[in-house]
């Protein structure tokens, strides 16, 4: 009985399966502006600008099946950043595989890291610092604040090399990320290790 089961299982594994070609729908095509901001935390024009900016880096020519469109890659990563939910949930929302979501998050994050120094700048002149201090004071009557700091651990898959470096105090693999924002929630500094 067990031999028959093993034979049938091996035979089933050797059967060639037809490739499934999915129709990747673009959430920008069917969501209204309110839903886009609620789900992805950025407006439609900002997402389109990211797609245009990162098109060369994220476009994948392939001879196999169809590659994920740049807009879907960016939106999958933005959804992950916005919700912090598991990649499997994000994969179900966008009708793609969990490994595709992982690659999207990795690639879009790398694109953002490559351009972040052009947009994220900690002010050093006295006038800019005074504006930020005044903004925080108007919000919460807290004097002499020049930034709000927070950090998080972004869960990652176990890297093949130097795995022990990425294990955090809660015993899972992560990258430590710290951000500093001003009173308008604009990033002034980001450090990820």
């Amino acid at each position: 009985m067990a031999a028959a089961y093993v034979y049938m299982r091996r035979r089933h594994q050797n059967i060639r399966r037809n490739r499934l070609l999915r129709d990747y729908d673009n959430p920008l095509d069917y969501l209204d502006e309110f839903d886009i901001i609620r789900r992805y935390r950025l407006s439609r024009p900002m997402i389109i600008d990211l797609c245009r900016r990162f098109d060369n880096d994220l476009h994948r020519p392939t001879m196999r099946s169809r590659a994920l469109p740049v807009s879907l890659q960016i939106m999958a990563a933005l959804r992950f950043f916005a919700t912090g939910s598991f990649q499997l949930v994000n994969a179900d929302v966008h009708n793609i595989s969990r490994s595709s979501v992982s690659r999207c998050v990795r690639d879009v994050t790398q694109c953002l890291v490559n351009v972040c120094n052009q947009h994220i700048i900690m002010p050093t002149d006295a006038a800019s610092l005074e504006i930020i201090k005044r903004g925080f004071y108007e919000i919460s009557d807290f004097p002499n604040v020049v930034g709000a700091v927070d950090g998080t651990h972004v869960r990652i898959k176990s890297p093949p090399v130097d795995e022990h470096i990425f294990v955090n105090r809660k015993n899972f693999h992560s990258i430590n990320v710290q951000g500093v924002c001003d009173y308008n929630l604009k990033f002034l500094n980001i450090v990820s290790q």
Side-chain angles (χ1 to χ4, degrees), residues 24-33 35-37 39-40 42-52 69-75 78 94:
Y24 300 115
D25 28 322
N26 187 347
L28 287 175
D29 294 340
Y30 59 86
L31 292 176
D32 64 8
E33 190 68 24
D35 283 336
I36 289 174
I37 291 173
R39 295 178 186 188
Y40 300 97
L42 289 178
S43 65
R44 182 186 313 269
M46 292 178 83
I47 293 172
I48 292 171
D49 184 51
L50 287 175
C51 293
R52 189 177 65 251
V70 171
S71 59
L72 185 59
Q73 292 179 56
I74 288 176
M75 295 189 80
L78 288 176
H94 292 100

Side-chain angles (χ1 to χ4, degrees), residues 2-182:
Y5 174 76
V6 170
Y7 171 76
M8 290 302 290
R9 183 161 171 87
R10 283 187 183 155
R11 185 164 183 232
H12 179 71
Q13 289 174 347
N14 291 334
I15 295 174
R16 181 180 166 109
R17 290 173 188 79
N18 291 331
R19 185 174 294 279
L20 175 65
L21 297 176
R22 291 192 173 108
D23 181 23
Y24 300 115
D25 28 322
N26 187 347
L28 287 175
D29 294 340
Y30 59 86
L31 292 176
D32 64 8
E33 190 68 24
F34 176 76
D35 283 336
I36 289 174
I37 291 173
R38 187 169 59 95
R39 295 178 186 188
Y40 300 97
R41 307 277 172 93
L42 289 178
S43 65
R44 182 186 313 269
M46 292 178 83
I47 293 172
I48 292 171
D49 184 51
L50 287 175
C51 293
R52 189 177 65 251
R53 174 174 275 186
F54 299 141
D55 186 48
N56 291 337
D57 298 324
L58 297 175
H59 182 74
R60 292 179 175 81
T62 181
M63 296 301 289
R64 297 182 70 182
S65 62
R66 296 180 342 180
L68 290 178
V70 171
S71 59
L72 185 59
Q73 292 179 56
I74 288 176
M75 295 189 80
L78 288 176
R79 178 75 178 219
F80 178 77
F81 299 149
T83 62
S85 64
F86 292 104
Q87 292 177 358
L88 183 59
V89 174
N90 202 352
D92 291 342
V93 167
H94 292 100
N95 196 24
I96 58 179
S97 68
R98 190 189 66 75
S99 59
S100 292
V101 171
S102 179
R103 281 190 297 275
C104 291
V105 169
R106 180 196 66 206
D107 296 344
V108 171
T109 301
Q110 188 58 51
C111 289
L112 291 170
V113 167
N114 291 342
V115 299
C116 73
N117 288 336
Q118 299 169 13
H119 302 281
I120 300 173
I121 301 167
M122 190 74 174
T124 55
D125 60 298
S128 297
L129 290 172
E130 193 57 42
I131 291 171
I132 293 172
K133 286 179 185 180
R134 189 173 339 110
F136 275 113
Y137 187 77
E138 290 172 4
I139 290 172
S140 61
D141 293 335
F142 202 116
N144 297 324
V145 176
V146 294
V149 179
D150 197 7
T152 188
H153 285 270
V154 178
R155 187 181 290 261
I156 61 171
K157 289 191 330 185
S158 172
V161 180
D162 295 328
E163 173 187 357
H164 65 282
I165 295 174
F166 296 96
V167 177
N168 65 18
R169 65 184 173 84
K170 295 188 177 182
N171 270 343
F172 65 86
H173 296 88
S174 67
I175 295 176
N176 193 8
V177 180
Q178 173 186 292
V180 180
C181 292
D182 69 2

